[in-house]
Amino acid sequence: MTLDTATAVAWITRAAEIIRADESRLTGLDAAIGDGDHGANLARGLAAAVTSLEETQPESPGKALMAAGRGLVAKTGGASGPLYGTGFRRAGKELGDGTDATGVGDALEAMLRGIEEIGGAVQGDKTMIDALAPAVAAFQEAAGNGADLHAAAVAAADAAEAGLAATVPLQARKGRASYLGPRSVGHEDPGAASTALIMRALAEVTAP
Amino acid sequence: MTLDTATAVAWITRAAEIIRADESRLTGLDAAIGDGDHGANLARGLAAAVTSLEETQPESPGKALMAAGRGLVAKTGGASGPLYGTGFRRAGKELGDGTDATGVGDALEAMLRGIEEIGGAVQGDKTMIDALAPAVAAFQEAAGNGADLHAAAVAAADAAEAGLAATVPLQARKGRASYLGPRSVGHEDPGAASTALIMRALAEVTAP
Amino acid sequence: MKKLINSPDAVIPDALRGLAAAHPGLNVDVENRIISRAERTPGKVGLVSGGGSGHEPLHGGYVGRGMLDAAAPGEVYTSPVPDQILAATEAADAGAGVLHIVKNYTGDVLNFRMAAELAEDDDVRVVSVVINDDVAVEDSTFTAGRRGVGGTIVAEKVAGAAAEEGADLDTVAQLAREVNERSRSFAIALHAGTVPAAGKPGFELAGNEVEIGVGIHGEPGRQRGEFAPVKDLVGYALDAIHADLPVSGDVLVIMNGQGGTPLIELYGAFAEAADWLQGHGATVARNLVGNYITSLDQAGFSITVTSLTDELVRLWDAPVSTPALRWGV
Amino acid sequence: MKKLINSPDAVIPDALRGLAAAHPGLNVDVENRIISRAERTPGKVGLVSGGGSGHEPLHGGYVGRGMLDAAAPGEVYTSPVPDQILAATEAADAGAGVLHIVKNYTGDVLNFRMAAELAEDDDVRVVSVVINDDVAVEDSTFTAGRRGVGGTIVAEKVAGAAAEEGADLDTVAQLAREVNERSRSFAIALHAGTVPAAGKPGFELAGNEVEIGVGIHGEPGRQRGEFAPVKDLVGYALDAIHADLPVSGDVLVIMNGQGGTPLIELYGAFAEAADWLQGHGATVARNLVGNYITSLDQAGFSITVTSLTDELVRLWDAPVSTPALRWGV
Ligand SMILES: Nc1ncnc2c1ncn2[C@@H]1O[C@H](COP(=O)(O)OP(=O)(O)O)[C@@H](O)[C@H]1O
Ligand SMILES: Nc1ncnc2c1ncn2[C@@H]1O[C@H](COP(=O)(O)OP(=O)(O)O)[C@@H](O)[C@H]1O
Ligand SMILES: [Mg+2]
Ligand SMILES: [Mg+2]
Ligand SMILES: [Mg+2]
Ligand SMILES: [Mg+2]
């Protein structure tokens, strides 16, 4: 299976669904160490991404992710809008006309680099990077070992969830949670939580 | 026993004490159907009346009540300050150099007339008049029947308390409580409650 | 109760100290509780108002060029005392007499009346205008009459502008009376404010209740109603105003916060008021949106509608420089 | 949760409708959420700011002569999006370039940066100044840096006055930077505000607790402290400011309410601040006391101290006519 246009669209659509379903959990996580809007932001942003896909009817999976990224940037606001928006746009650029697991791994890596570049966070700062970086690594390792798209995506989603769990003991060094200093310890990072959901959505839509 | 200067001073002093002790009850009554300041207002005003007695060292009971009235007006504020202040000044004017129960009855009647005059309330409007008017009537009746000052004051205090109780079913027609319309029914009037305390103070200080 | 105070007793002197520090152009007598303009204009009619504290910026915040000459704040929610009002009157007197702008509460009326008598003894001519614009209270022989609320601000602004122009005492008083006749107000609260000395809210509402027709002293309103969208609450208030004095033509609207309601909500409420008035053929020619006459930290709004004339617009637009209202200067 | 709203979704459009109705001199694009001045002065540097909603009067309340040319309000507590900031930038552009005054939050910085890139694509020169005056947050590689709070108002006022006088983009930007360098803020909350969509307060405090070093988004502060007299709370805040940038000489002080604190308390707090500053050898040369940058209905205060120069005083005193600040005109 390659990541074709329909699958790319399905990924975003499914991500929008599960983020919406889990909106209040994300908001709760953000209320604890941020400003309590992450769930609403991303639900709004991903809904806009879906609308943008419906409107643009992209012809390639790369164009689909780029359109989704533009939709996210245009409607999310906050830190996560530019970060995820840039991430999806970079992934789309890398992805081009669709590709197998290895190519998708490269696209996810482009996503990671884009987010790192504009946000300036590194792993351990208690951000979405802490879920995304291990997810990308796991995806690439699985793909390198010959896993298909679904299997690699499952590995990525599992790694993202583990990365999320690993944010709990960290003290935030980026984003609003950093203002809390030591009080940010003991909570999951909301952006890492949404990244884990987005990775899980990829695993679901690539299931055979 | 006549109402001499020392007794007049003792009356105000005792009234200040028992109003202070019951301040929060008065405030609670006023919070229910007014603005919750009657206890504080009167405690402050009577304290000022006591100070004014200490400062002026009045030579007659009439002058004592007039000084107390001026102290009340100068420090109480709200509706009760001018009402009680005028009442005590009028009583003092009438009282002059001290007198027996009949003369005190006239002084209390002057107090009542003063309050009626500037406040424009009549019995049944759910105000201090509803305690004061029956108190004055009871005092005068007792004095007319030959009661001494203490006995007349006890009759007045009892009548004031009965008058207070009778305010419960009334709808207020004067003062802030009138703004509540039918919602003012079912509560004691705070000014009637303070009048009952002031009458009780007179009964106490005239005890043999 | 958590408040930014040192102690319940210190609330008023502390606020007056702050007012003095913030506005060096005002004379603030913290001990005697009188706020007055630093300079008197000989021959100008003096304007004095006052009432309980807890309604800030009313009244001290309206002392300055184009509005009041002096204000006398009482204890929280308690009218000031005669000596204090007398001192404010004397501070405001520049030889042309003094207007007392009094809100219609028994305590305010009685204490101002006593002060006016004392002032007349000192040969200061005083005219009093009693403001009673709150339609939540029936004006009948069965009540102490209507309360004075937001219309007070309009009366102070308009009369103050006329006094600044050199109008005489009767003219200035007549303008204040005219504003009062043309103004109506109504208020709804979501939560009661807390008097510092009392330490708990003036009334308790359930999660789905509002207090309808409240005054500015944390006193309960005429009835309790169900919480509803702001469009309905504003419509209810405007219906009550309209039933009493039909709105039409150019109006001034004050969408006032009670102290604990944020501006974002007041603007939303104002949007509904503007729509409602337009739908009833009136035009919002002038407006204020914000906290102008408050009840400590009470949440809710009051709306004041004044039916304008060209002359009232001109006087409203005249320069004013006070802590709470400033334009044209 | 009881609020004067129609629904959580409608809060921002309703408030913008109200702002439009109240201030006919502003262009308010309710759909795209842009508030701009009705007239452009050709050749004047444009000033744009924006950020989450819920901080009213910030930012829309500072659009007008002598301050901002356009503002872009986001969702409640959420930075606006690039297209919106771009549209505000285009509305503000009068040929001399546009200054973006951005509060230092990751979301604001990223969205403004994207908008600036888009504007440059359209040949509009943009310079951004990031405000980061909140000393509650350590500025280190371990944080996203200090937050931008009350200093924003001073930067907007001073830069706006310079732009009005015809200063060029670099000069205007440099003044905003200078204000930022000379400004420090600190906030303490007594109760958290409630985001309408969330329906409950951002944090819960016990009866004897305060949140120390809070920001403007209902986020918890760096620590919880014990409730104390306002003198101590203000002293704590000023100690923190003084430790970071020692106060001296003439200062501008903003004693700001967080939305749910009444003016009587803010004046009391200001009295303590003025005393403290005097005791430390500084003079309060200019001040604002009131709600200028809020957090919905949060109770508490923030204090901003800007160390003044003669030039800053002159620009602060220059005429301004916006919904929230008005003088000299
Ligand atoms: N500099 C950054 N780099 C990467 N991720 C970040 C950065 N800053 C914040 N984030 C992520 O964004 C999430 C918060 O997003 P959101 O709540 O939507 O925005 P905001 O913080 O503006 O309210 C955080 O949980 C974190 O994962
Ligand atoms: N017109 C009036 N005549 C007589 N008594 C009055 C009148 N108005 C008010 N009162 C009395 O004053 C009491 C309230 O006094 P207080 O609370 O001190 O003043 P305020 O109403 O100004 O807050 C009422 O309970 C009532 O007994
Ligand atoms: Mg957030
Ligand atoms: Mg009372
Ligand atoms: Mg009172
Ligand atoms: Mg946010």
Side-chain angles (χ1 to χ4, degrees):
Chain A
M1 179 186 193
T2 60
L3 185 67
D4 58 14
T5 308
T7 312
V9 170
W11 179 19
I12 301 302
T13 309
R14 182 65 191 140
E17 276 167 22
I18 64 179
I19 294 278
R20 170 74 70 196
D22 240 359
E23 181 182 330
S24 67
R25 180 174 64 90
L26 294 174
T27 289
L29 294 177
D30 198 30
I33 56 169
D35 58 353
D37 60 0
H38 187 59
N41 287 350
L42 215 53
R44 181 176 62 246
L46 280 164
V50 170
T51 305
S52 140
L53 289 172
E54 284 162 2
E55 282 169 10
T56 54
Q57 295 285 340
E59 302 135 22
S60 71
K63 292 215 166 114
L65 295 190
M66 286 171 73
R70 272 196 302 278
L72 270 168
V73 168
K75 291 289 174 196
T76 310
S80 54
L83 292 168
Y84 276 128
T86 300
F88 277 108
R89 276 185 9 223
R90 295 283 178 89
K93 248 186 218 166
E94 179 66 34
L95 196 60
D97 287 338
T99 173
D100 61 2
T102 311
V104 173
D106 294 343
L108 290 177
E109 182 170 341
M111 181 174 193
L112 172 64
R113 298 289 163 246
I115 293 175
E116 282 175 345
E117 186 188 311
I118 73 160
V122 297
Q123 224 177 319
D125 283 353
K126 195 172 183 129
T127 70
M128 53 178 69
I129 300 286
D130 291 330
L132 189 57
V136 173
F139 191 104
Q140 290 183 318
E141 194 190 324
N145 292 338
D148 70 2
L149 185 51
H150 176 59
V154 168
D158 291 347
E161 277 157 21
L164 165 62
T167 62
V168 172
L170 297 177
Q171 175 170 339
R173 284 192 290 236
K174 287 287 174 209
R176 281 190 207 289
S178 72
Y179 304 143
L180 271 76
R183 290 179 80 187
S184 65
V185 171
H187 300 269
E188 288 180 350
D189 175 65
S194 57
T195 292
L197 292 174
I198 291 169
M199 287 297 140
R200 185 59 60 197
L202 182 61
E204 284 180 24
V205 298
T206 52
Chain B
M1 180 189 192
T2 61
L3 185 66
D4 58 14
T5 307
T7 313
V9 169
W11 178 20
I12 302 302
T13 309
R14 182 66 190 140
E17 276 167 22
I18 64 179
I19 294 278
R20 170 74 71 194
D22 240 0
E23 182 182 330
S24 67
R25 179 173 64 91
L26 295 174
T27 290
L29 293 177
D30 197 30
I33 56 170
D35 58 351
D37 60 0
H38 187 58
N41 286 350
L42 215 53
R44 181 177 61 246
L46 280 164
V50 170
T51 305
S52 142
L53 289 172
E54 284 162 2
E55 281 170 10
T56 55
Q57 296 284 341
E59 303 135 20
S60 72
K63 292 217 165 111
L65 294 189
M66 286 171 73
R70 273 197 302 279
L72 271 167
V73 168
K75 292 288 174 198
T76 310
S80 54
L83 291 167
Y84 277 127
T86 300
F88 278 107
R89 276 184 9 222
R90 295 283 178 89
K93 248 186 218 165
E94 180 66 35
L95 197 59
D97 288 338
T99 174
D100 61 2
T102 312
V104 173
D106 294 343
L108 291 176
E109 182 169 343
M111 181 174 192
L112 171 64
R113 298 289 164 246
I115 293 176
E116 283 174 345
E117 185 188 312
I118 73 160
V122 298
Q123 223 176 320
D125 283 353
K126 194 172 185 129
T127 69
M128 53 177 68
I129 299 287
D130 291 330
L132 188 58
V136 172
F139 191 104
Q140 290 183 317
E141 195 190 324
N145 293 338
D148 70 1
L149 185 51
H150 175 60
V154 168
D158 291 348
E161 276 157 21
L164 164 62
T167 62
V168 172
L170 299 176
Q171 175 170 338
R173 285 192 290 238
K174 287 286 174 211
R176 281 190 207 289
S178 72
Y179 305 143
L180 271 74
R183 290 179 80 187
S184 64
V185 170
H187 300 269
E188 289 180 350
D189 174 65
S194 57
T195 292
L197 292 174
I198 290 169
M199 288 298 139
R200 185 60 61 196
L202 182 61
E204 286 180 22
V205 299
T206 52
Chain C
M1 175 196 61
K2 279 182 289 181
K3 285 178 176 283
L4 296 176
I5 62 175
N6 286 314
S7 75
D9 289 348
V11 172
I12 294 167
D14 285 350
L16 290 176
R17 284 195 301 124
L19 194 70
H23 303 287
L26 297 179
N27 280 342
V28 180
D29 180 339
V30 176
E31 196 181 326
N32 296 305
R33 302 191 179 178
I34 295 150
I35 299 131
S36 59
R37 290 160 73 169
E39 270 137 50
R40 274 186 247 207
T41 311
K44 189 185 95 62
V45 168
L47 266 76
V48 169
S49 193
S53 291
H55 309 304
E56 293 65 29
L58 197 82
H59 292 274
Y62 298 119
V63 176
R65 178 170 158 202
M67 278 183 92
L68 300 179
D69 293 278
E75 296 288 328
V76 173
Y77 291 171
T78 299
S79 56
V81 295
D83 289 347
Q84 183 189 359
I85 301 169
L86 174 65
T89 305
E90 280 166 355
D93 177 36
V98 174
L99 177 68
H100 281 181
I101 300 181
V102 185
K103 297 190 298 313
N104 190 36
Y105 302 99
T106 306
D108 290 43
V109 169
L110 293 180
N111 285 285
F112 268 91
R113 191 186 297 157
M114 289 192 163
E117 281 171 24
L118 296 170
E120 308 255 324
D121 289 352
D122 294 353
D123 289 325
V124 178
R125 187 171 164 230
V126 173
V127 173
S128 296
V129 172
V130 176
I131 305 295
N132 60 346
D133 57 319
D134 186 349
V135 300
V137 174
E138 262 179 77
D139 183 14
S140 74
T141 47
F142 299 108
T143 67
R146 282 179 167 159
R147 297 175 291 219
V149 286
T152 313
I153 299 155
V154 190
E156 290 174 4
K157 174 68 186 77
V158 164
E164 216 69 52
E165 287 178 354
D168 66 16
L169 181 54
D170 291 326
T171 307
V172 172
Q174 184 46 36
L175 276 162
R177 260 180 235 114
E178 187 186 348
V179 166
N180 183 50
E181 277 153 23
R182 293 173 160 274
S183 299
R184 296 293 186 276
S185 299
F186 196 93
I188 295 178
L190 307 185
H191 299 289
T194 297
V195 174
K200 57 182 182 17
F203 48 85
E204 293 282 356
L205 294 175
N208 64 339
E209 284 178 337
V210 298
E211 196 75 29
I212 295 179
V214 285
I216 56 173
H217 302 90
E219 62 270 56
R222 269 186 98 78
Q223 63 190 83
R224 227 149 248 203
E226 236 186 287
F227 176 60
V230 66
K231 183 185 169 82
D232 300 341
L233 298 179
V234 167
Y236 189 100
L238 283 167
D239 281 340
I241 287 172
H242 188 56
D244 194 82
L245 183 71
V247 300
S248 71
D250 281 358
V251 294
L252 163 72
V253 173
I254 304 181
M255 179 53 73
N256 173 64
Q258 296 175 7
T261 287
L263 200 51
I264 190 169
E265 295 180 30
L266 295 177
Y267 271 115
F270 182 71
E272 299 304 341
D275 279 1
W276 190 102
L277 287 161
Q278 199 180 14
H280 287 71
T283 305
V284 182
R286 295 292 183 276
N287 71 82
L288 293 176
V289 181
N291 288 296
Y292 292 98
I293 172 170
T294 60
S295 303
L296 297 169
D297 51 350
Q298 189 155 304
F301 71 98
S302 73
I303 178 162
T304 297
V305 180
T306 304
S307 154
L308 293 168
T309 62
D310 289 350
E311 176 70 351
L312 293 181
V313 170
R314 191 180 69 74
L315 292 166
W316 179 259
D317 288 345
V320 60
S321 177
T322 70
L325 282 191
R326 184 163 174 190
W327 56 72
V329 60
Chain D
M1 175 195 61
K2 279 183 289 181
K3 284 178 177 283
L4 297 176
I5 62 175
N6 286 314
S7 75
D9 289 347
V11 173
I12 294 167
D14 285 350
L16 290 176
R17 284 195 301 124
L19 194 70
H23 304 286
L26 297 179
N27 280 341
V28 180
D29 180 339
V30 176
E31 196 182 324
N32 296 305
R33 303 191 179 176
I34 295 150
I35 299 131
S36 59
R37 291 161 73 169
E39 270 138 49
R40 274 186 247 207
T41 311
K44 189 184 96 61
V45 169
L47 266 77
V48 170
S49 193
S53 290
H55 309 305
E56 292 66 26
L58 197 83
H59 292 273
Y62 298 118
V63 175
R65 179 170 157 202
M67 278 185 92
L68 300 179
D69 293 278
E75 295 289 328
V76 172
Y77 291 170
T78 300
S79 56
V81 294
D83 289 346
Q84 184 189 358
I85 301 168
L86 174 64
T89 305
E90 280 167 353
D93 177 37
V98 173
L99 177 68
H100 281 180
I101 300 180
V102 185
K103 298 190 297 312
N104 190 36
Y105 302 99
T106 307
D108 289 44
V109 168
L110 293 179
N111 285 284
F112 268 91
R113 191 186 297 158
M114 289 192 164
E117 282 171 23
L118 296 170
E120 307 255 325
D121 290 353
D122 294 353
D123 289 325
V124 178
R125 189 172 161 228
V126 172
V127 174
S128 297
V129 172
V130 175
I131 306 295
N132 61 346
D133 57 320
D134 186 349
V135 300
V137 174
E138 263 179 76
D139 184 14
S140 74
T141 46
F142 299 108
T143 66
R146 282 179 168 159
R147 296 175 291 219
V149 287
T152 312
I153 298 155
V154 190
E156 290 175 4
K157 174 68 186 76
V158 164
E164 216 69 52
E165 288 179 352
D168 66 16
L169 181 54
D170 291 326
T171 308
V172 172
Q174 183 46 37
L175 277 162
R177 260 180 236 115
E178 186 185 349
V179 167
N180 183 50
E181 277 154 22
R182 292 173 159 275
S183 298
R184 295 293 186 277
S185 299
F186 196 93
I188 295 178
L190 307 185
H191 298 289
T194 297
V195 174
K200 56 181 183 17
F203 48 85
E204 293 283 356
L205 294 174
N208 64 339
E209 285 177 337
V210 297
E211 196 75 29
I212 295 179
V214 285
I216 56 173
H217 301 90
E219 62 270 55
R222 269 186 96 80
Q223 64 190 84
R224 226 150 248 203
E226 235 186 288
F227 176 60
V230 65
K231 184 185 169 81
D232 300 341
L233 298 179
V234 167
Y236 189 100
L238 283 167
D239 282 340
I241 286 172
H242 188 56
D244 194 82
L245 183 71
V247 301
S248 71
D250 282 358
V251 295
L252 163 72
V253 173
I254 304 181
M255 179 54 74
N256 172 64
Q258 296 176 6
T261 287
L263 200 51
I264 191 170
E265 295 181 30
L266 295 177
Y267 271 115
F270 181 72
E272 300 304 342
D275 279 0
W276 191 101
L277 286 162
Q278 199 180 14
H280 286 71
T283 306
V284 182
R286 294 293 182 277
N287 70 82
L288 294 176
V289 180
N291 287 296
Y292 293 98
I293 172 169
T294 60
S295 303
L296 297 168
D297 51 350
Q298 189 155 305
F301 72 98
S302 73
I303 178 162
T304 297
V305 180
T306 304
S307 154
L308 292 168
T309 63
D310 289 350
E311 175 70 352
L312 293 181
V313 170
R314 192 181 68 75
L315 292 166
W316 178 259
D317 288 345
V320 60
S321 176
T322 69
L325 282 191
R326 185 164 173 189
W327 56 72
V329 60

